[in-house]
Amino acid sequence: MRSSTSSTPFSIREFDLPDETASTQPLLEVDDLRVSFATRGGVVQAVDGLSLQVGRREVVGIVGESGSGKSVAMYSLLGLVRDSNVTITGRVRFEGRDILGLPDQEMRSIRGHDIAMIFQDPMTALTPVYNVGWQIAEQIRAHGTATKQQARTRAIELLGEVGIPDPARRIDQYPHEFSGGMRQRVVIAMALSCNPKLLIADEPTTALDVTTQAQILDLMSTLQDSYNSSIVIITHDMGVISEMADRVVVMYAGRPAEIGAKRDVIRSPRHPYTWGLLGAVPRVESKRSRLVTIPGTPVSPLDVPAGCAFGPRCDYRFDACSERPALRGDGGHQDACWLDERQKVAIRQRVESSIGSENAS
């Protein structure tokens, strides 16, 4: 039995851990998700055919440059993108239930309770006119039957769990009275307040210094073990992916470029875009004077080239790249690149050997 970590006389939610049959079913299944925005300049295809699965108690990392569709995809499945100029197609199943397009009232019962989100900027995620305790307690009461005092007691406990000192005093403080790292901890406490089954973290460490980033990642790992939650972490930082994720989805121009287990994607990347992301990670042992960069700039979502979207920036482009490649591969490791496996291995070894020679010189 999974129980609340609270010592209060109520339980926000208790449920049995899934049996062996249920545990084989992914917690979240996204199938061919497409999200487009009608603008004056034309149609922006923000997400273009994303498919992924998140298992129970699994951490899936979605990585890519700004504008690659990572956040829009997750906002869409949570029902947070519903403007009249938006078209969303595909299928999203949570615990086997299709949730894409649910009415607002039904989606509100899932959002915050079963699926919670840690937003990128805690200063804008928190309202400045209410103290942090009220904001956490308000979510607890919205999804349960707790009294004001019970919700406040639980909020104090949550602030303590996420490492905020003297939570009984700080619960009455306002967001501007907290540092950036502490505000992010408050947002994490709010996200965990109803024991969600799935936690979506949208670049939770982007605006934080390196030391605080490490503390937040350690905190998320610890809390995942405590709450038995699954996590989808959105980031542009391959270092965060190597620290947190079990599986990785690399996105470019709204499309999945490579999907696989963390070990496979980091140690044996198959897509030129993934090579670029990994090559741009600073290394302590490197003697390079400049970091590796990916040439060019990300494509405009209003003018995605025909064929492979990464083609204009790719050093290995050839004739076949004029057609859009599908994801292919075996053993759960797939990529969308026309290069055959032998070519990919040869190029990767040549690049790694070149970097090793420069480091040794």
Side-chain angles (χ1 to χ4, degrees):
M1 171 73 75
R2 172 182 167 188
S3 60
S4 168
T5 57
S6 172
S7 60
T8 53
F10 74 98
S11 173
I12 298 170
R13 182 181 69 206
E14 291 185 326
F15 57 88
D16 291 329
L17 288 172
D19 59 27
E20 190 171 322
T21 302
S23 65
T24 61
Q25 180 188 49
L27 181 67
L28 178 72
E29 299 173 88
V30 179
D31 184 22
D32 196 27
L33 179 66
R34 298 174 188 270
V35 184
S36 61
F37 297 85
T39 71
R40 291 182 180 179
V43 176
V44 173
Q45 191 69 52
V47 182
D48 191 7
L50 175 64
S51 298
L52 63 85
Q53 295 183 346
V54 181
R56 296 178 187 275
R57 296 181 292 280
E58 181 181 38
V59 180
V60 174
I62 304 180
V63 64
E65 293 169 289
S66 296
S68 60
K70 312 180 299 294
S71 298
V72 171
M74 295 300 104
Y75 288 2
S76 300
L77 67 86
L78 277 174
L80 297 176
V81 181
R82 291 200 172 183
D83 291 339
S84 58
N85 67 329
V86 177
T87 301
I88 303 175
T89 62
R91 201 169 182 191
V92 177
R93 291 183 293 273
F94 180 73
E95 294 191 310
R97 179 189 183 188
D98 195 340
I99 63 171
L100 195 63
L102 281 180
D104 287 343
Q105 189 64 33
E106 291 186 51
M107 200 64 222
R108 276 196 294 268
S109 68
I110 296 173
R111 191 170 53 231
H113 184 258
D114 294 313
I115 307 176
M117 191 157 194
I118 301 171
F119 291 95
Q120 181 173 349
D121 184 357
M123 195 61 182
T124 56
L126 297 167
T127 176
V129 297
Y130 289 100
N131 62 52
V132 298
W134 184 93
Q135 295 182 60
I136 297 172
E138 189 262 350
Q139 175 156 314
I140 293 172
R141 298 192 70 203
H143 292 287
T145 59
T147 65
K148 283 186 178 181
Q149 185 56 48
Q150 289 172 333
R152 178 182 172 86
T153 300
R154 177 62 178 148
I156 292 173
E157 292 177 353
L158 284 163
L159 291 179
E161 286 181 22
V162 298
I164 293 180
D166 196 6
R169 178 180 64 85
R170 304 210 70 181
I171 192 173
D172 293 317
Q173 293 184 331
Y174 290 80
H176 71 271
E177 298 180 86
F178 291 79
S179 67
M182 287 298 173
R183 280 195 294 268
Q184 192 64 283
R185 291 171 187 266
V186 171
V187 172
I188 293 173
M190 186 182 298
L192 293 172
S193 61
C194 294
N195 296 18
K197 300 174 185 176
L198 175 63
L199 184 64
I200 299 174
D202 185 9
E203 304 208 29
T205 63
T206 295
L208 305 177
D209 63 77
V210 175
T211 301
T212 306
Q213 283 184 24
Q215 292 172 351
I216 293 297
L217 294 178
D218 287 343
L219 173 64
M220 290 177 61
S221 296
T222 300
L223 293 174
Q224 185 206 9
D225 292 337
S226 300
Y227 285 79
N228 290 317
S229 296
S230 300
I231 297 178
V232 173
I233 185 163
I234 302 167
T235 183
H236 61 271
D237 188 342
M238 291 299 288
V240 172
I241 291 295
S242 66
E243 178 77 18
M244 284 283 297
D246 299 313
R247 287 193 304 115
V248 183
V249 178
V250 180
M251 289 189 68
Y252 184 79
R255 306 172 182 176
E258 185 165 357
I259 298 176
K262 175 180 68 176
R263 179 187 181 92
D264 293 335
V265 172
I266 290 181
R267 295 195 175 187
S268 303
R270 295 177 177 174
H271 197 282
Y273 181 56
T274 312
W275 300 342
L277 290 177
L278 289 169
V281 176
R283 290 171 171 79
V284 175
E285 71 277 7
S286 176
K287 296 182 180 180
R288 285 172 170 260
S289 59
R290 295 177 62 88
L291 292 175
V292 176
T293 60
I294 300 174
T297 58
V299 298
S300 167
L302 284 169
D303 189 26
V304 178
C308 176
F310 187 63
R313 304 175 70 186
C314 183
D315 292 332
Y316 312 104
R317 178 183 175 90
F318 63 110
D319 291 345
C321 300
S322 59
E323 296 184 17
R324 178 174 175 174
L327 283 171
R328 56 180 181 167
D330 51 20
H333 189 187
Q334 299 178 303
D335 67 280
C337 180
W338 287 115
L339 292 169
D340 65 38
E341 188 58 31
R342 288 177 301 175
Q343 290 174 309
K344 294 171 187 174
V345 171
I347 292 170
R348 189 171 65 245
Q349 289 176 343
R350 186 169 67 247
V351 171
E352 290 174 351
S353 175
S354 173
I355 294 174
S357 298
E358 290 187 23
N359 290 341
S361 62

